[in-house]
């Protein structure tokens, strides 16, 4: 594309100059892709030069993410395909176009917001540290890192066994628990000995009953050099021996993954989620508390079940432990967040352990603190959490999982000190939520402290052994949208730091592992035997009852289907936008009622400034459009069972679920609604774009074009009225989509397998990257710590 563009501009300089002058005359110093394209098409039509629409110039503008303009220069960042960038500049007087570096482009952007940009600010470039580590090259491989690594290693085994098989032998020797060795003992000295032992072992086991246990054959196998961990029964042990023998004879990446997943390596997991209110009841809807809590609680239930199953199949008798580390909140309201320990319901041995934030003098901070202001407290929190974990487990954990920016930073600090495999889960990276959040960070610093957050993100995502995301979109976006992680590849924070290479989305540490909905709670409305019909009286009152302490609106016509939405009441979730769409669409108001469950109805009950603004906006919309008879707003939190039955209750009424967020990293409520059989409309920005098959299992809507979104919803209900089978088709499509792609059982199997494989790669190929670690440590101490220290406020009197 770039070569064609250069040639085209050389041959059509006058037309290109006129167009770029048009951009300049808008008076904007920064223009987004949509701004550029709208201005471009307007120019083509006004000048009767529509042939430009089929030119290399049109292709370049269609793939430009933003333009920066200050006479005599126009700079463009062109993204011709996912995760590939070119930076171009045009000189108006010379009418020349040339390609520049990311650093030069970022320097020019800095000049738009500061009078003295200067090159001498901290420039972060991780490329030199990554030069010798394997990277993928195909965009379709992004998010499938473990498959890439296994192919690399199986190829290495196939071409030079001497450089691969000894690593496997060494790796098998390091495993054990409580002083008991697993897999092999010192009887096996080398690879020749291992291969001979495998042959001898299989010959011996063939003569044993398939259901004979390890204990019944252990004396013979241990004499050959084998220890527990190969399997509980003889048939499993034979299968494990055969897998390894096949790998050593004819390496295959699939067999490699299967074998490493069987090695007993994971008995204790620590999960970090410091901010917000982390509890099992009465927390959803509180500030900074939402889908992440639901995600983790469902995650640990599935992980414990899978861990117990694997340990049993391995022939071991070890009780797995999972610890969720979060913040202790003495001022916890009607939640349990002031309890130092809480067992997770539905598990045998999973605990929530709460550690307080402390001020500089060691005093416990009693009140909730916004997720944007937790940074000064995380280092001390990590040290206290580490001591607590070691005391409870009596050993290092086998895996540390971080959640969100703060949890990922704490996980990084703990993992580096303990030498433990680290996984990070972003859930959402704030950088893509707020327009120009990095460029104009100083204007947002007092409220959001992005200087700390974006620096912490860079440290954690580069320190992690592996990263899991819910969707491809989260990593690399789409043809027209930059991915959350991709946005960290190059950006500038004027006066603070210029990141010219922050993260590489082709790094094999990225893996897509999609979560699911709790199948015990969110199941199809047609599964009548499991329905909680005893809750219907309560649901009747919630949906159609009169005024409540935390409600506004009473639905007059109760025969209409409902549009339902449930989320935190903050700007990004766009619930006030949904109300505005509904209010402005006569067809929707005629066809449906609107049900909202979000936040609190009384602004005085909210301590979050952004939520308060949304509450006031919601009331203004009710008043302006007279919505009290058509919209029901409940400011409350529902427990899971009531929520699950509410989805099904609304499906009985042929309703639909709407998720109108400006951006959604994944969308657990989308999964829950679909699993229950509700046709679902969800944002086209983020995870729902992958979850929903448009027109088959739901519909994509653009939150930036509310009128169009409202028409799509209205068209659906119009068609359902004339063709009732249309509603059923979408309902079945939603159920089938979730059951085939989004379950916690699939998630747990995948996450544990990844942990085993990255544990091997950390051991075998030095994926802990010592040089990178030292660089990140310097970034933490010299950049992050002073920024975090500047946030801390005096203790409340």
């Amino acid at each position: 594309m770039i070569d064609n563009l250069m040639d085209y501009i050389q041959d059509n300089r006058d037309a290109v100059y006129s167009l770029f002058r048009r951009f300049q005359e808008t008076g904007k110093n920064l223009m987004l892709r949509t701004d550029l394209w709208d201005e471009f098409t307007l120019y083509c039509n006004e000048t009767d030069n529509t042939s430009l629409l089929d030119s290399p110039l049109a292709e370049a503008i269609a793939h430009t993410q933003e333009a920066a303009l200050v006479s005599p220069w126009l700079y463009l960042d062109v993204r011709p395909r996912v995760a590939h960038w070119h930076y171009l500049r045009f000189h108006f007087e010379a009418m020349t176009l040339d390609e520049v570096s990311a650093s030069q482009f970022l320097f020019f952007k800095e000049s738009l917001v500061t009078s003295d940009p200067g090159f001498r600010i901290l420039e972060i470039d991780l490329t030199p540290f990554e030069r010798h580590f394997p990277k993928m090259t195909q965009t379709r491989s992004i998010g499938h890192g473990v498959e890439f690594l296994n192919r690399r290693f199986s190829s290495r085994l196939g071409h030079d066994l001497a450089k691969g098989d000894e690593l496997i032998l060494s790796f098998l020797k390091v495993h054990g628990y409580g002083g008991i060795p697993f897999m092999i003992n010192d009887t096996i000295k080398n690879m020749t000995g291992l291969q001979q032992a495998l042959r001898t072992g299989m010959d011996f086991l063939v003569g044993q009953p398939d259901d004979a246990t390890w204990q019944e054959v252990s004396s013979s196998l241990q004499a050959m050099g084998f220890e527990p961990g190969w399997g509980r029964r003889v048939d499993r042990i034979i299968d494990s021996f055969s897998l390894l023998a096949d790998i050593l004879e004819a390496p295959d990446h699939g067999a490699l993954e299967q074998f490493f997943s069987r090695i007993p390596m994971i008995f204790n997991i620590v999960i970090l989620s410091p901010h917000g209110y982390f509890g099992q009841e009465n927390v959803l809807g509180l500030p900074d508390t939402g889908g992440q809590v639901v995600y983790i609680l469902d995650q640990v239930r599935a992980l414990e079940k899978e861990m117990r199953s694997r340990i049993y199949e391995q022939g071991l008798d070890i009780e797995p432990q999972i610890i969720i580390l979060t913040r202790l909140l003495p001022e916890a309201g009607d939640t349990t967040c002031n309890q130092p320990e809480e067992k997770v319901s539905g598990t045998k041995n999973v605990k929530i352990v709460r550690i307080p934030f402390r001020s500089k003098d060691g005093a416990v901070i009693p009140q909730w603190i916004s997720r944007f202001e937790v940074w000064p407290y995380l280092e001390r929190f990590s040290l206290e959490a580490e001591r607590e974990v070691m005391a409870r487990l009596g050993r290092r954990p086998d895996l540390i999982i971080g959640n969100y920016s703060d949890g990922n930073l704490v996980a990084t600090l703990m993992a580096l000190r303990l030498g433990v495999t680290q996984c990070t889960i972003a859930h959402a990276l704030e950088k893509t939520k707020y327009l120009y959040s990095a460029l104009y960070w100083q204007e947002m610093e007092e409220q959001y402290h992005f200087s700390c957050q974006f620096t912490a993100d860079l440290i954690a995502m580069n320190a992690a052994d592996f990263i899991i995301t819910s969707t491809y979109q989260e990593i690399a976006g789409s043809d027209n949208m930059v991915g959350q992680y991709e946005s960290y590849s190059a950006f500038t924070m004027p006066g603070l730091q210029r990141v010219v290479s922050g993260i590489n989305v082709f790094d094999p540490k990225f893996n897509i592992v999609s979560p699911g909905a709790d199948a015990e709670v969110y199941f199809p409305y047609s599964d009548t035997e499991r329905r909680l019909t005893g809750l219907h009286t309560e649901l009747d009152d919630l949906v159609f009852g009169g005024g409540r302490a935390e409600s506004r609106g009473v639905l007059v016509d109760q025969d209409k289907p409902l549009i339902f939405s449930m989320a935190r009441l903050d700007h990004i979730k766009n619930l006030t936008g949904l109300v505005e769409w509904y209010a402005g669409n006569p067809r929707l108001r005629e066809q449906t009622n609107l049900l909202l469950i979000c936040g609190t109805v009384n602004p005085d009950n909210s301590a979050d400034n952004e939520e308060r603004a949304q509450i006031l906006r919601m009331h203004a919309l009710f008043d302006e459009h007279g919505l009290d008879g058509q919209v029901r707003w409940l400011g409350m939190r529902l427990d899971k069972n009531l929520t699950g039955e509410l989805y099904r209750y609304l499906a009985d009424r042929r309703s639909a679920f709407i998720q109108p967020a400006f951006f959604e990293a994944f969308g657990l409520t989308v999964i829950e609604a679909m699993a229950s059989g509700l046709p679902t409309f969800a944002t086209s920005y983020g995870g729902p774009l992958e979850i929903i098959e448009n027109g088959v299992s739901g519909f994509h809507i653009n939150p930036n074009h509310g009128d169009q979104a409202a028409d799509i919803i209205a068209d659906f209900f119009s068609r359902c009225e004339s063709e009732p089978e249309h509603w059923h088709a979408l309902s079945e499509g939603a159920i089938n989509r979730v059951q085939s792609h989004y379950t916690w059982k699939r998630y747990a199997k995948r996450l544990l397998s990844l942990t085993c494989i990255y544990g091997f790669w950390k051991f075998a190929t030095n994926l802990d990257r010592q040089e990178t670690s030292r660089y990140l440590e310097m970034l933490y101490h010299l950049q992050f710590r002073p920024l975090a220290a500047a946030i801390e406020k005096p203790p409340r009197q």
Side-chain angles (χ1 to χ4, degrees):
M1 174 195 290
I2 300 302
D3 290 340
N4 290 340
L5 177 63
M6 297 290 194
D7 292 340
Y8 181 85
I9 289 179
Q10 185 65 30
D11 296 336
N12 298 272
R13 296 204 303 172
D14 289 344
V16 172
Y17 175 78
S18 297
L19 172 64
F20 286 177
R21 285 282 297 172
R22 179 69 172 256
F23 293 158
Q24 190 180 48
E25 288 166 0
T26 65
K28 298 177 181 178
N29 288 332
L30 287 168
M31 297 180 71
L32 296 175
R33 181 176 61 85
T34 52
D35 300 325
L36 291 167
W37 186 257
D38 289 346
E39 199 66 39
F40 173 57
T41 54
L42 189 62
Y43 168 82
C44 292
N45 291 327
E46 288 180 356
T47 59
D48 197 25
N49 193 2
T50 54
S51 61
L52 274 177
L53 294 169
D54 295 320
S55 68
L57 179 62
E59 185 181 6
I61 292 173
H63 289 91
T64 296
Q65 296 302 309
E66 63 180 0
L69 301 92
V70 173
S71 185
W73 294 106
L74 164 66
Y75 278 68
L76 305 170
D77 62 348
V78 183
R79 182 176 176 265
R81 60 186 188 280
V82 167
H84 288 82
W85 294 82
H86 295 275
Y87 303 97
L88 309 175
R89 66 179 178 184
F90 179 81
H91 194 278
F92 282 99
E93 295 175 4
M95 290 195 289
T96 56
L97 184 76
D98 60 315
E99 189 163 2
V100 298
S101 67
S103 181
Q104 289 173 295
F105 174 75
L106 296 173
F107 173 73
F108 184 76
K109 283 181 66 177
E110 291 160 16
S111 70
L112 305 181
V113 297
T114 177
S115 58
D116 182 24
F119 267 106
R120 296 194 178 278
I121 66 170
L122 175 63
E123 192 163 272
I124 298 171
D125 184 358
L126 286 153
T127 303
F129 301 98
E130 302 294 315
R131 191 170 290 131
H132 302 296
F133 294 98
K135 297 290 189 297
M136 300 173 291
T137 57
Q138 302 296 317
T139 55
R140 58 185 172 83
S141 297
I142 293 172
H144 302 283
V146 76
E147 289 89 342
F148 171 78
L149 290 178
N150 284 336
R151 286 196 298 270
R152 294 270 303 194
F153 189 67
S154 61
S155 175
R156 178 177 174 180
L157 278 171
H159 286 91
D160 191 349
L161 280 173
K163 293 184 178 179
D165 54 6
E166 292 294 341
L167 287 172
I168 294 177
L169 176 65
S170 300
F171 189 61
L172 292 176
K173 287 184 174 182
V174 301
H175 299 293
Y177 193 92
I180 300 173
F182 297 152
M183 305 307 286
I184 62 175
N185 57 42
D186 290 338
T187 302
I188 298 174
K189 304 294 186 184
N190 50 42
M191 279 308 303
T192 301
L194 176 58
Q195 290 173 316
Q196 179 60 48
L198 288 171
R199 288 192 293 269
T200 305
M202 285 189 282
D203 289 342
F204 164 71
L205 291 172
V206 167
Q208 307 299 317
D210 282 350
D211 59 355
T213 64
W214 166 264
Q215 287 75 16
E216 295 175 86
V217 298
S218 60
S219 58
S220 298
L221 291 178
Q222 284 177 314
M224 298 175 196
F226 298 109
E227 294 293 338
W230 294 91
R232 180 167 294 273
R233 294 173 20 136
V234 162
D235 52 359
R236 174 79 170 197
I237 300 170
I238 292 174
D239 193 41
S240 297
F241 281 6
S242 298
L243 263 177
L244 180 54
D246 290 344
I247 289 168
L248 297 177
E249 182 177 351
D252 172 78
H253 68 90
L256 201 67
E257 179 172 342
Q258 187 179 359
F259 177 72
F260 284 127
S261 298
R262 291 188 176 194
I263 298 176
M265 298 168 55
I266 312 163
F267 307 101
N268 304 294
I269 297 176
V270 169
I271 296 174
L272 275 301
S273 182
H275 76 255
Y277 293 77
F278 197 104
Q280 298 181 79
E281 296 180 354
N282 303 323
V283 297
L284 296 183
L286 292 175
D288 291 344
T289 309
Q292 181 173 314
V293 173
V294 176
Y295 179 110
I296 294 172
L297 291 174
D298 286 344
Q299 174 198 51
V300 296
R301 293 185 182 101
L303 283 175
E304 186 192 51
K305 188 174 182 179
E306 180 63 19
M307 288 168 71
R308 298 179 71 87
S309 173
R310 289 190 180 208
I311 292 169
Y312 179 84
E313 289 297 328
Q314 288 158 351
L316 306 174
D317 296 307
I318 297 171
E319 189 67 26
Q321 296 187 69
I322 301 177
I323 297 173
I324 302 170
L325 288 174
T326 188
R327 184 196 165 194
L328 182 75
L329 272 167
E331 295 179 3
D334 61 350
T335 77
T336 57
C337 296
N338 57 355
Q339 297 179 10
E341 180 180 309
E342 182 180 352
K343 183 178 181 293
V344 175
S345 63
T347 70
K348 293 188 177 181
N349 203 20
V350 180
K351 293 182 176 65
I352 302 169
V353 176
R354 300 186 175 94
I355 308 294
F357 283 172
R358 297 183 185 275
S359 59
K360 290 178 181 177
D361 61 4
V364 172
I365 296 174
Q367 75 275 14
W368 167 84
I369 296 173
S370 163
R371 70 186 187 277
F372 297 114
E373 297 183 336
V374 300
W375 308 107
Y377 312 103
L378 296 182
E379 184 172 321
R380 183 185 284 246
F381 175 89
S382 76
L383 292 167
E384 194 168 339
E386 183 180 320
R387 290 193 294 269
E388 184 71 22
V389 167
M390 294 298 288
R392 286 173 174 269
L393 299 181
R395 66 196 300 272
R396 298 181 305 170
D398 303 304
L399 172 67
I400 294 179
I401 303 175
N403 292 273
Y404 193 71
S405 299
D406 53 348
N408 286 328
L409 183 66
V410 175
T412 297
L413 297 176
M414 292 179 64
L416 288 175
R417 287 195 296 262
L418 295 173
V420 175
T421 300
Q422 175 197 352
C423 168
T424 74
I425 307 173
H427 294 283
L429 291 165
E430 300 285 348
K431 186 171 174 295
T432 54
K433 287 185 179 181
Y434 300 85
L435 186 62
Y436 296 125
S437 56
L439 188 64
Y440 292 105
W441 70 275
Q442 288 170 306
E443 296 178 13
M444 306 181 189
E445 185 70 358
E446 184 176 353
Q447 180 175 0
Y448 295 116
H449 302 289
F450 286 146
S451 63
C452 285
Q453 184 154 19
F454 297 169
T455 305
D457 286 336
L458 279 175
I459 293 168
M461 64 179 63
N462 281 285
D465 294 297
F466 68 103
I467 298 170
I468 67 171
T469 69
S470 298
T471 63
Y472 179 95
Q473 304 274 326
E474 195 175 335
I475 308 169
S478 63
D479 288 342
N480 297 320
M481 183 179 69
V482 178
Q484 290 187 66
Y485 279 97
E486 186 186 2
S487 74
Y488 282 77
S489 60
F491 66 96
T492 184
M493 304 181 77
L496 179 67
Q497 58 198 19
R498 181 185 303 133
V499 180
V500 298
S501 178
I503 192 68
N504 187 339
V505 298
F506 290 97
D507 194 307
K509 68 173 59 181
F510 286 102
N511 291 274
I512 300 167
V513 187
S514 299
D518 187 340
E520 298 299 315
V521 175
Y522 305 104
F523 53 86
Y525 74 100
S526 55
D527 191 350
T528 55
E529 292 185 2
R530 300 170 65 193
R531 293 285 300 268
L532 305 176
T533 53
L535 296 175
H536 284 205
T537 300
E538 182 177 354
L539 290 173
D540 284 338
D541 183 63
L542 282 174
V543 177
F544 297 112
R548 303 166 61 96
E550 272 292 334
S551 72
R552 179 166 182 180
V554 177
L555 303 179
V556 175
D557 187 345
Q558 300 184 6
D559 293 328
K560 293 180 180 180
L562 293 101
I563 298 172
F564 173 48
S565 194
M566 177 171 60
R568 296 191 313 275
L569 193 52
D570 58 23
H571 170 74
I572 202 72
K573 295 298 184 182
N574 195 32
L575 293 181
T576 53
L578 171 60
V579 173
E580 197 163 7
W581 304 349
Y582 177 85
N585 191 291
R587 285 200 297 155
L588 270 186
R589 296 182 67 166
E590 176 66 28
Q591 295 167 332
T592 66
N593 291 318
L594 177 59
L595 173 65
L596 303 171
I597 298 180
C598 55
T600 173
V601 176
N602 185 348
D604 295 335
N605 293 337
S606 175
D608 184 275
N609 291 333
E610 186 173 312
E611 184 183 49
R612 284 173 57 86
Q614 291 294 303
I615 294 169
L616 295 173
R617 174 63 178 154
M618 189 76 81
H619 283 296
L621 289 169
F622 268 74
D623 295 338
E624 180 182 351
H625 297 283
L627 298 175
D628 286 283
Q630 295 176 295
V631 181
R632 175 79 160 165
W633 173 18
L634 299 173
M636 60 189 303
R637 301 181 295 274
L638 306 183
D639 65 45
K640 286 179 66 174
N641 287 321
L642 190 60
T643 301
E645 192 58 32
L646 174 59
Y647 284 127
R648 293 184 288 271
Y649 173 91
L650 295 173
D652 292 336
R653 294 176 167 272
R654 303 300 178 259
S655 301
F657 181 78
I658 315 294
Q659 205 275 33
F662 289 116
F663 180 84
E664 185 64 55
F666 181 63
L668 277 176
T669 55
V670 172
I671 295 292
E672 293 167 0
M674 291 172 66
S676 305
L678 269 181
T680 299
F681 298 77
T683 179
S684 56
Y685 292 98
L689 190 63
E690 292 179 37
I691 295 171
I692 292 174
E693 298 171 289
N694 194 47
V696 177
S697 56
F699 297 92
H700 303 145
I701 53 175
N702 187 336
N704 298 305
H705 296 282
D707 292 344
Q708 294 176 15
D711 283 337
I712 291 171
I713 301 167
D715 289 343
F716 169 75
F717 281 105
S718 294
R719 184 172 174 185
C720 290
E721 189 171 351
S722 60
E723 303 174 33
E725 64 274 12
H726 184 57
W727 187 95
H728 290 282
L730 268 294
S731 174
E732 284 299 311
I735 293 168
N736 293 337
R737 179 69 173 171
V738 171
Q739 291 179 349
S740 62
H741 288 81
Y742 302 99
T743 69
W744 281 111
K745 183 176 182 179
R746 290 166 58 95
Y747 174 99
K749 286 180 177 292
R750 187 63 173 160
L751 177 55
L752 293 182
S753 294
L754 289 174
T755 303
C756 293
I757 296 159
Y758 280 95
F760 168 72
W761 277 99
K762 186 181 181 76
F763 174 87
T765 60
N766 194 26
L767 271 187
D768 55 341
R769 302 170 180 174
Q770 294 180 4
E771 297 88 351
T772 307
S773 295
R774 299 300 290 174
Y775 184 80
L776 296 174
E777 185 178 355
M778 184 170 61
L779 184 61
Y780 174 81
H781 285 283
L782 299 183
Q783 186 78 329
F784 175 82
R785 290 185 83 198
L787 292 169
I791 299 175
E792 188 168 1
K793 299 174 181 177
R796 191 176 64 185
Q797 300 299 318

